[in-house]
Amino acid sequence: MSLFRGVYTSLTNAGPAADSLSADSWTALTVMSGTEGLAIPYSPRTDDGIAAVLLACFLIVSYVLARSKKFLLQQLKDFMLHRERSSIFADSTATDVRYLLLLVLQSCVLASLYVFNYFNDIQSDSMRLLSPRVWLSIYMGMALLYLAAKWLLYSFLGWTFFDKNVTNMWLVSYSTLIYYGGFALFPCVLLVTYFDVNVFFLITLGICLLIFAKILMFYKWLKLFFNNIYGLFLLILYFCALEIMPCFMLYQGVIQVNDLLIIKKLGL
C-alpha cells in the first residue's frame, strides 16, 4: 500500500498536465493488484437439490414402512416361498397400492441419481452443459418408461402363453423386486454421492446389484415357469431376451440421449 501511495503522490505532484495520466496509472495499478479466482467444480455432494431429493426419499421410506411394513414383509415371504395361490393376507388395499407406487417412484429416482453420478464421473465437462435437475428428470423419465414397457411386455406374454394366475404372481414378484431394489439402492446412492469413490467401484457396485437382482428373477422364473428339464434351455433363452438384452438396450439408449442433448446444447 505504501508503494501505491508513493506512486500516487509523485504523479499528483507532476502538475495539472499529469492529471489524466495519474488517474489512468492509479486505475491500472488498482486492477493489477487483484488475482482471478478459480471456479469450484460441480460436485453432487454440494448440490442442495440432490440433498433435498435424498431427504425426500428417506422420508418416503420411513412413511411407507411405518404404515405398510406387514404387507411388504408378506410380499417378501411370497416371493421366497413359492405358492400355488396368493395368500388371503396379501390382498392389497387401495392405500397399500398408493404406498407401493411411492416406492416405485422412489426406486426410479434413486436409479436416476446413481446413473447421474456415474456419468458425472466419466464425462463431467459434458454434464455441466445442462442443469443437474434436467439430467435427473431425463433419467427418471427413462426409468419409468422402462418399467412401464417391461410391465406391458410381461402382461402380454404372460396372458398369451401362460395361466393368468401365474402371470399375476410374476407381476407381483417383479414389483416386489422393484420395491426392495429401491431399499438397497438408497445406501448405495448415499455412498457414491457423499464419499470419494472411484469410477471402478461405482461400476462394480452397480453391476453386483444388477446381477443379484437378475439371479432372484431367474430363481422366481424357475419356480413359476419351469416344468421339465427339456424346457430349461428355452427358459434361459427367454430370460436372456427379456431380462439381459433390455439392460444393454437401456444403457445404449441413455448414452444416445446424452450425446443428443450435448450436441444440441453445443449447437453442432
Side-chain angles (χ1 to χ4, degrees), residues 89-255:
F89 299 104
D91 294 333
S92 59
T93 63
T95 304
D96 291 327
V97 171
R98 289 197 296 268
Y99 293 156
L100 298 182
L101 290 177
L102 281 176
L103 291 180
V104 171
L105 180 62
Q106 179 216 227
S107 298
C108 293
V109 170
L110 292 174
S112 65
L113 282 171
Y114 199 92
V115 173
F116 174 76
N117 277 280
Y118 167 71
F119 282 107
N120 185 68
D121 286 342
I122 64 174
Q123 48 182 24
S124 57
D125 294 335
S126 300
M127 297 294 288
R128 294 192 189 101
L129 296 175
L130 292 175
S131 170
R133 292 158 185 81
V134 175
W135 291 116
L136 290 176
S137 301
I138 293 172
Y139 296 151
M140 187 175 66
M142 294 184 69
L144 289 173
L145 288 176
Y146 176 79
L147 290 181
K150 290 289 291 293
W151 188 277
L152 292 176
L153 182 62
Y154 286 141
S155 300
F156 174 76
L157 294 177
W159 293 333
T160 302
F161 300 104
F162 299 100
D163 182 71
K164 182 179 180 180
N165 186 44
V166 175
T167 302
N168 290 333
M169 291 176 64
W170 165 244
L171 291 177
V172 172
S173 300
Y174 184 72
S175 302
T176 303
L177 281 176
I178 299 300
Y179 312 146
Y180 283 92
F183 295 153
L185 268 177
F186 186 75
C188 296
V189 171
L190 288 177
L191 178 65
V192 300
T193 301
Y194 292 105
F195 291 88
D196 189 16
V197 297
N198 54 36
V199 179
F200 178 77
F201 178 83
L202 192 151
I203 295 174
T204 304
L205 180 61
I207 291 177
C208 290
L209 289 175
L210 185 61
I211 291 176
F212 184 69
K214 296 305 178 184
I215 291 174
L216 291 177
M217 285 183 182
F218 189 70
Y219 162 79
K220 198 62 181 181
W221 272 44
L222 291 175
K223 291 292 186 180
L224 292 175
F225 306 115
F226 181 65
N227 297 320
N228 52 67
I229 192 65
Y230 302 103
L232 181 60
F233 176 75
L234 289 177
L235 188 67
I236 295 175
L237 185 63
Y238 292 150
F239 184 81
C240 293
L242 295 177
E243 293 297 336
I244 306 301
M245 292 303 298
C247 294
F248 290 102
M249 295 172 62
L250 178 62
Y251 179 72
Q252 289 297 324
V254 173
I255 292 179

